[in-house]
Amino acid sequence: MNEILLGVDPREQPIPALVWAADEAVRRGLALRLVVVVPPVHEGLRYDVLAHQSALRIRAESAIANAEDFVRELHGGLRIATERVNGVPASVLRDRAAHAALVVVGSRGLGRAAEVFSESSVVVPLTARAPCPVVVVRVPEHAAVHPPTLVVGVDGSEASQAAVAFAVEEASLREARVRAVWVWPPSVFTHDDLDEGLAERRRLLAESVAGWAVRYPDVAVSQEVLRGHPVEQLALVSEESLALIVGRRGRGGYSGMRLGSTVHGLLHRATCPVITVPVPHREGLNGDPAWADRSRSGSIDRPSPADPLGTGARRPLRGTVGREDHPGPSPGSPER
């Protein structure tokens, strides 16, 4: 869990995703790993397939080099590693996510069917199956709005509890506040007792955020119950937020059809980065999710585990700046 993973789009890397990932790596004192995936080519004659594959590799190399140069201009001292891998993008990034604190990807807009269903699609299947939080950056965060705010959707489930945990920790890193929102959809078949129902949901919301003020006294947490459709209301209240954070139930399928209608809708509708947080497989001794980064006091240059990706001995991270005990830039990662 010693790095932020950024999926680099070989077609055109969205700048907001690069900025978000680099800034987050600095905030958490982690390395940044840039991964570009060259998808397989199945159709056409052998010569055409080889030519197409070669063109994709060249484009991928250019994309990851440009992304690395851009990040170094933002944060010269940030430790960066790069990889070019052959495979299905969502599957490759999901496998790498098992060893990352966060995965960050850009989005061209989920209204395009090709992004959702094609073999090279990433956002929906990765969000549905990644074992760590996934940040989808379609538009920049609203950093100029004060006070800086993170919105978290709460519904009392285990998934939303994980989302609250992430939101409070992230707010502490950013010196921001948390706006915890419970959306109460109107019932179609029964007549609700509005006063009783509102009181009950306020109680449940208070229970969901209880205890975090003690662990993070620097974070102000407001609570709000809204009536309406969850996608519409959460998208509305997050319009001027740094990010919208929601929990993700279940393991999900490759196509993302089990992602959940609320999360799927927010990926399409929200006008800020969307962070989906899975239910942790296990908890640490202090009750934190297994993927939670508790090393906030660490520095960017702290040592890394020898084999974070499960692929044998780790190559040195590239381009450590201003340190005599690191060899400096090294050749790009070999193709797999």
Side-chain angles (χ1 to χ4, degrees), residues 68-334:
E68 182 180 7
D69 290 343
F70 181 85
V71 170
R72 291 197 187 284
E73 290 183 5
L74 288 178
H75 302 289
L78 180 62
R79 295 171 63 206
I80 303 172
T82 64
E83 281 189 280
R84 175 168 61 82
V85 186
N86 292 333
V88 177
S91 297
V92 171
L93 292 176
R94 180 198 64 208
D95 292 342
R96 297 297 193 274
H99 307 282
L102 294 170
V103 179
V104 183
V105 291
S107 172
R108 294 169 175 269
L110 294 176
R112 295 179 56 179
E115 183 171 6
V116 179
F117 296 107
S118 71
E119 187 172 35
S120 61
S121 66
V122 173
V123 170
V124 172
L126 180 63
T127 302
R129 300 187 66 192
C132 70
V134 176
V135 187
V136 178
V137 186
R138 187 162 60 93
V139 293
E141 60 187 21
H142 302 286
V145 178
H146 292 281
T149 302
L150 293 165
V151 173
V152 57
V154 182
D155 62 5
S157 66
E158 186 181 5
S160 74
Q161 291 286 347
V164 171
F166 182 94
V168 176
E169 179 187 14
E170 185 71 12
S172 181
L173 291 169
R174 291 169 171 264
E175 298 183 352
R177 69 186 183 107
V178 171
R179 185 178 181 185
V181 178
W182 186 303
V183 181
W184 179 20
S187 176
V188 177
F189 302 104
T190 62
H191 178 70
D192 293 322
D193 185 320
L194 295 181
D195 292 336
E196 181 179 345
L198 183 61
E200 174 66 8
R201 283 156 181 83
R202 284 176 174 169
R203 181 187 66 80
L204 294 172
L205 176 57
E207 290 180 356
S208 297
V209 301
W212 291 107
V214 176
R215 298 181 63 181
Y216 291 90
D218 57 321
V219 177
V221 180
S222 64
Q223 304 173 36
E224 191 172 357
V225 176
L226 301 176
R227 198 82 193 274
H229 191 282
V231 173
E232 294 177 357
Q233 292 298 322
L234 288 174
L236 182 64
V237 298
S238 64
E239 283 185 349
E240 295 185 344
S241 301
L242 294 173
L244 170 61
I245 303 165
V246 289
R248 189 200 80 207
R249 295 186 180 89
R251 299 292 180 262
Y254 179 80
S255 68
M257 288 302 155
R258 294 173 58 192
L259 181 59
S261 59
T262 298
V263 176
H264 196 287
L266 290 171
L267 290 174
H268 179 62
R269 292 281 300 275
T271 56
C272 66
V274 177
I275 305 175
T276 57
V277 182
V279 175
H281 295 294
R282 62 189 184 278
E283 293 186 347
L285 296 178
N286 59 358
D288 291 325
W291 38 255
D293 172 33
R294 310 309 307 168
S295 55
R296 294 168 52 205
S297 61
S299 65
I300 291 178
D301 291 315
R302 66 172 178 266
S304 304
D307 182 20
L309 298 182
T311 56
R314 179 171 182 169
R315 296 181 301 274
L317 293 175
R318 296 178 57 192
T320 302
V321 178
R323 285 178 56 89
E324 297 178 358
D325 54 337
H326 285 272
S330 60
S333 300

